[in-house]
Amino acid sequence: MNHTHSIKIFSCRGSKYLAEKIALALKMDLGKSEVTVFSDGEFQPAFNESVRGATVFIIQSTYPPVENLFELLLMIDAAKRASAYKVIAVIPYFGWARQDRKDRPRVSIGAKMVANLFAAVGCDRVMTADLHADQIQGFFDFPVDHIYASSIFLPYLRSLNMENISIAAPDMGGAKRANAYSRILGCPLIVCHKSRERANVVGSMTAIGEVEGRNVIIIDDMVDTAGTLTKAANMLMEKGAKSVRALATHAVLSGAAYENIAKSQLCELVVSDTIPLRPAPGQDISKIKVLSVAELFADVIEKVYNYKSISTSFVF
């Protein structure tokens, strides 16, 4: 009797560009699937090949709109009902991660609710990159492989051969992440302190640490409207920084983000391809550099499938 389970990789519509790169890195073909869309907006994903007894990896980042999350959940459900041996959700960008606690009365903890949805459809495992808060892993009652984009960002930083580097956290919440970079690179840490007037609007900002004459690198998990990031960059330049660039894993880039970046003192914004860039025609993206997480995810997928340790895939 043959007990080896074949591996199959599928993609939902929102992350096909990344799934193709991951499949290429694994020297595999993407599995065949389709989505039927009904006139009222309802849609139904289907597998166009057998997944019986297979270990199925389904790739999809759950950035807005909510269809991206729901399509992934329907695909997992379809795979389980088609007798897949195991179904693993590969979610390079895990949406709703900012709702990891009750930060004011009468709000939902969206990240926990989304974790419950994955459990409800029978997901066996989740792979994701740079969660907004590490403790979100505890919202799941099955394994979560939490990958750090530092694996691709650190080699890039080293390739720049810059001197007098300082690592900066754009806010207190990002201090732990920035501190890990400063420890690995052996350089000083700057913490920017901001007061928010309301959601997505930053009030005043100041910096704690040595800024003057330094090449500052701001580290963040995501860049949304780029309000905090560009305000921090402009403030650091005013305080005498030699240059300011930023690294952010997830390029959410909503609202006026592209304009904010283009007009700011940032010399470069380095992001990964967990979310596709979606600039409007004619928007300036000359400062944005995209590094791919495809090889990183391909490596972890291969190790998980072959029951190998993945601890070596984590830089910190």
Side-chain angles (χ1 to χ4, degrees), residues 74-88:
L74 289 171
M75 283 279 275
I76 295 166
D77 184 65
K80 293 301 276 194
R81 292 176 191 278
S83 304
Y85 167 61
K86 275 207 174 114
V87 182
I88 298 164

Side-chain angles (χ1 to χ4, degrees), residues 131-310:
L131 284 167
H132 189 61
D134 286 350
Q135 68 266 22
I136 290 171
Q137 294 168 79
F139 293 174
F140 294 88
D141 292 327
F142 49 81
V144 175
D145 301 313
H146 186 206
I147 298 161
Y148 296 105
S150 51
S151 305
I152 55 170
F153 286 153
L154 284 166
Y156 175 72
L157 277 183
R158 290 187 178 118
S159 76
L160 296 173
N161 288 322
M162 284 192 301
E163 292 183 346
N164 299 330
I165 290 178
S166 284
I167 298 290
D171 51 33
M172 294 303 208
K176 185 184 168 197
R177 183 179 289 105
N179 185 47
Y181 274 81
S182 79
R183 198 180 64 242
I184 289 165
L185 293 168
C187 58
L189 180 68
I190 298 164
V191 179
C192 301
H193 178 65
K194 66 182 177 186
S195 58
R196 273 199 191 279
E197 286 176 6
R198 56 183 188 278
N200 287 42
V201 179
V202 180
S204 60
M205 186 175 262
T206 184
I208 304 157
E210 189 190 336
V211 178
E212 202 164 326
R214 312 293 296 183
N215 288 306
V216 183
I217 293 142
I218 302 172
I219 307 288
D220 214 347
D221 63 315
M222 68 169 73
V223 50
D224 190 345
T225 61
T228 301
L229 192 60
T230 53
K231 193 153 189 166
N234 297 346
M235 180 266 296
L236 290 163
M237 286 300 283
E238 278 167 28
K239 288 190 177 290
K242 199 172 170 186
S243 71
V244 182
R245 44 171 46 80
L247 303 181
T249 310
H250 309 298
V252 179
L253 299 178
S254 66
Y258 288 101
E259 295 89 77
N260 288 343
I261 292 157
K263 287 189 306 198
S264 75
Q265 301 267 335
L266 274 175
C267 64
E268 184 177 45
L269 168 64
V270 185
V271 296
S272 81
D273 56 355
T274 56
I275 301 175
L277 291 187
R278 293 167 291 172
Q283 273 185 321
D284 181 5
I285 58 165
S286 58
K287 288 184 180 179
I288 303 173
K289 182 178 179 67
V290 182
L291 302 178
S292 184
V293 290
E295 298 267 350
L296 200 53
F297 274 98
D299 178 54
V300 176
I301 286 169
E302 187 270 325
K303 283 175 174 165
V304 165
Y305 174 64
N306 290 307
Y307 299 101
K308 293 182 195 165
S309 167
I310 60 170

